[in-house]
């Protein structure tokens, strides 16, 4: 499967955001996104054992550096992308390392531990993305880090119920304790005021990261970061929807419909004019 096909079949918000890019950058970010999708799919494959997943992720790390026997059909495209944008293998290694954490870690004691995971699976993706988007001010790197943390925290809140199905809890244990909401209550999907307060606390954290990203985005790079700003707008809308509905994540799967997304994309594009 080629990069464009992988991106189309994922139905991702990120794929929608690509509409704002020129043809060449859109093709290049599609190749990078396909890499992220494939790496993620290895970890999520229920038919693979943990040793097999570990081996496949290690093979990808090797493919980032040099051609390997029986490698993925588009591994060469990824290496060409890295050459074109002078991306060191270590930048993409971070993403693989983040995905690999899911193979052995199902609980996080503190937010500082969770932050490492969020940085690897989201901020690291942002740091590669801005190299492809193109930027002038180095402050864009901190923008990518902050926005990645905001997006991933929003994902974590949205997917609380879904993650429980595979016995995975990303909400830090220290935060559960802070609101006297036990892991057993969470596993039993007990919806009560303490759970709502816990989720409001996490939402405030995500909003801090959104604000942090907005605060450091350089004025001269607003045009080149429009795809990232589209993502930020869609996820802020998703976070707002959960907040207004009091985080009924055990019974609902929150998402914005296509019309709402198109509206937010249009608003971001109009800002450029």
């Amino acid at each position: 499967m080629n990069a464009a096909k992988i991106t189309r079949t994922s139905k991702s918000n990120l794929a929608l955001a690509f509409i704002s890019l020129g043809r060449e950058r859109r093709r290049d970010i599609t190749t990078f996104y396909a890499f992220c999708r494939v790496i993620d799919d290895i970890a999520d494959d229920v038919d693979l054992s943990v040793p097999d997943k570990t081996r496949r992720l290690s093979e990808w790390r090797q493919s980032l550096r040099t051609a390997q026997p029986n490698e993925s059909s588009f591994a060469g495209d990824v290496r060409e992308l890295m050459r074109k944008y002078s991306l060191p293998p270590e930048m993409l290694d971070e993403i693989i390392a983040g995905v690999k954490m899911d193979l052995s870690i199902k609980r996080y004691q503190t937010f500082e531990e969770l932050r490492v995971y969020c940085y690897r699976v989201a901020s690291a993706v942002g740091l590669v993305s801005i190299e492809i988007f193109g930027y002038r001010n180095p402050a864009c790197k901190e923008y990518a880090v902050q926005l990645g943390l905001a997006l991933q925290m929003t994902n974590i809140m949205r997917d609380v119920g879904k993650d429980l199905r595979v016995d995975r809890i990303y909400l830090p244990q220290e935060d559960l304790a802070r609101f006297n909401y036990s892991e057993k209550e969470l596993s039993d999907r007990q919806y009560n005021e303490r759970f709502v307060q816990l989720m409001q606390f996490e939402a405030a954290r995500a909003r801090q990261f959104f604000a942090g990203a907005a605060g450091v985005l350089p004025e001269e790079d607003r045009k080149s970061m429009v795809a990232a700003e589209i993502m930020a707008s869609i996820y802020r809308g998703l976070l707002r929807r959960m907040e207004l509905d009091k985080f009924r994540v055990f019974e609902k799967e929150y998402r914005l419909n296509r019309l709402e997304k198109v509206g937010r994309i249009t608003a971001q594009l109009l800002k450029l004019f």
Side-chain angles (χ1 to χ4, degrees):
M1 188 179 288
N2 64 27
K5 181 79 175 293
I6 293 169
T7 303
R8 282 197 305 272
T9 55
S10 74
K11 298 180 182 177
S12 162
N13 291 323
L14 187 57
L16 268 178
F18 294 168
I19 197 171
S20 64
L21 300 172
R23 181 178 298 176
E24 184 176 351
R25 292 189 194 276
R26 186 163 64 241
R27 184 188 66 235
D28 291 344
I29 197 69
T30 297
T31 297
F32 170 60
Y33 179 68
F35 162 78
C36 296
R37 193 70 260 151
V38 167
I39 295 301
D40 204 41
D41 287 346
I42 290 172
D44 291 341
D45 194 332
V46 295
D47 295 325
L48 289 177
S49 67
V50 171
D52 284 339
K53 292 177 181 181
T54 302
R55 176 180 54 78
R56 291 197 184 189
L57 292 174
S58 296
E59 288 171 352
W60 257 108
R61 286 192 70 220
Q62 294 165 359
S63 287
L64 295 178
R65 290 158 172 81
T66 184
Q68 302 294 312
N70 304 315
E71 68 180 11
S72 169
S73 59
F74 76 102
D77 294 338
V78 177
R79 287 192 297 273
E80 174 58 25
L81 185 76
M82 294 167 65
R83 184 201 62 76
K84 180 177 180 179
Y85 292 97
S86 301
L87 302 170
E90 291 76 17
M91 289 186 74
L92 280 72
D93 279 347
E94 281 284 351
I95 301 165
I96 295 175
V99 169
K100 199 172 180 180
M101 288 173 74
D102 276 335
L103 304 186
S104 59
I105 302 173
K106 294 200 171 186
R107 303 287 189 277
Y108 290 87
Q109 292 301 315
T110 67
F111 175 69
E112 286 309 306
E113 292 177 6
L114 179 64
R115 186 186 179 113
V116 173
Y117 173 78
C118 293
Y119 175 87
R120 288 174 169 172
V121 299
S123 296
V125 172
L127 287 168
V128 173
S129 297
I130 65 170
E131 296 294 335
I132 297 171
F133 296 157
Y135 64 91
R136 287 177 283 174
N137 191 321
C140 248
K141 293 183 180 182
E142 184 59 24
Y143 165 77
V145 170
Q146 293 288 318
L147 182 57
L149 295 172
L151 300 183
Q152 191 60 28
M153 285 306 301
T154 305
N155 274 337
I156 285 170
M157 284 181 280
R158 179 195 62 192
D159 293 340
V160 164
K162 186 170 74 173
D163 290 330
L164 281 173
R165 293 200 288 268
V166 290
D167 188 34
R168 184 168 284 131
I169 297 174
Y170 289 105
L171 299 175
Q173 299 288 307
E174 66 178 3
D175 293 351
L176 270 68
R178 181 193 301 263
F179 294 97
N180 195 28
Y181 185 78
S182 70
E183 183 176 317
K184 185 179 189 309
E185 286 177 293
L186 184 61
S187 298
D188 291 343
R189 298 168 183 266
Q190 290 191 28
Y191 181 85
N192 54 38
E193 186 58 33
R194 285 173 287 114
F195 175 74
V196 174
Q197 290 172 350
L198 165 64
M199 293 295 276
Q200 287 172 336
F201 178 78
E202 303 300 350
R205 177 176 272 152
R207 287 202 173 278
Q208 280 187 315
F209 290 131
F210 277 122
V216 296
L217 176 58
E219 189 63 37
E220 64 267 35
D221 287 321
R222 288 188 179 278
K223 185 173 182 179
S224 60
M225 292 299 121
V226 64
E229 284 293 275
I230 287 171
M231 284 292 291
S233 177
I234 289 172
Y235 272 75
R236 282 197 305 268
L238 179 62
L239 179 60
R240 183 64 177 154
R241 175 156 296 174
M242 288 190 288
E243 287 177 315
L244 290 173
D245 201 36
K246 300 285 189 181
F247 305 99
R248 298 186 177 277
V249 293
F250 297 135
E251 58 193 80
K252 291 185 180 181
E253 287 193 18
Y254 291 95
R255 57 171 59 89
L256 301 189
N257 63 40
R258 193 169 186 85
L259 186 60
E260 291 169 318
K261 290 177 181 178
V262 168
R264 287 178 175 271
I265 290 170
T266 303
Q268 291 301 319
L269 293 176
L270 286 174
K271 281 184 180 180
L272 297 180
F273 303 100

